[in-house]
Amino acid sequence: MDRTITPTLVLRITLAAVFFMHGIPSIFTGAVNNFGNLLNGAGFAPIGLTLAWMIKLSHVACAVLLILNRYIRVATLITIPILVAGIIMIHAAEGWFVVGAGRNGVEFNILLISALVYLAIINKKGIVA
């Protein structure tokens, strides 16, 4: 096993940390239920809560796959549409900025999507450098 630290390894671990922190706290604090209620109110009733759990668990699964360096394209193909939906449903109305000149905007999701696209493009046989 090659233990070389590559830029792609750093990117995978960083993304994994982001997705863990996007999923795990909301699961343990119950915030995932608020997310489910938001989805129900956005027209996804009666499956909003189930959908919220699936989304949060998919973020955790994506993080695990990124750490294990396995099924990277699968992880990206599941996660990117979720992030795009988040932009459409929530973040676009808030503008570009996440902090500073705005709040809860699209810039963070755009960066995550770009990094995931990069990993999907360089992916070979389920494993990247």
Side-chain angles (χ1 to χ4, degrees), residues 8-48:
T8 304
L9 172 65
V10 173
L11 180 61
R12 285 190 301 104
I13 299 304
T14 303
L15 286 171
V18 168
F19 285 113
F20 268 132
M21 292 309 297
H22 202 66
I24 296 291
S26 66
I27 290 169
F28 286 107
T29 64
V32 67
N33 297 325
N34 296 335
F35 181 39
N37 291 333
L38 179 119
L39 290 174
N40 279 333
F44 289 95
I47 64 165

Side-chain angles (χ1 to χ4, degrees), residues 14-127:
T14 303
L15 286 171
V18 168
F19 285 113
F20 268 132
M21 292 309 297
H22 202 66
I24 296 291
S26 66
I27 290 169
F28 286 107
T29 64
V32 67
N33 297 325
N34 296 335
F35 181 39
N37 291 333
L38 179 119
L39 290 174
N40 279 333
F44 289 95
I47 64 165
L49 184 59
T50 302
L51 190 57
W53 274 96
M54 290 172 57
I55 289 168
K56 292 301 180 178
L57 291 173
S58 77
H59 288 331
V60 174
C62 178
V64 170
L65 293 173
L66 289 169
I67 288 170
L68 295 176
N69 199 20
R70 298 287 184 257
Y71 305 106
I72 302 298
R73 278 202 178 152
V74 172
T76 61
L77 290 174
I78 291 170
T79 306
I80 290 170
I82 291 170
L83 295 173
V84 170
I87 289 172
I88 293 167
M89 293 177 60
I90 298 165
H91 302 290
E94 301 293 335
W96 178 260
F97 299 101
V98 174
V99 296
R103 188 187 88 58
N104 206 23
V106 302
E107 67 181 331
F108 185 62
N109 278 20
I110 297 294
L111 182 60
L112 291 174
I113 291 166
S114 298
L116 290 170
V117 167
Y118 168 78
L119 292 178
I121 289 170
I122 66 162
N123 180 265
K124 292 180 181 137
K125 296 183 181 175
I127 299 172

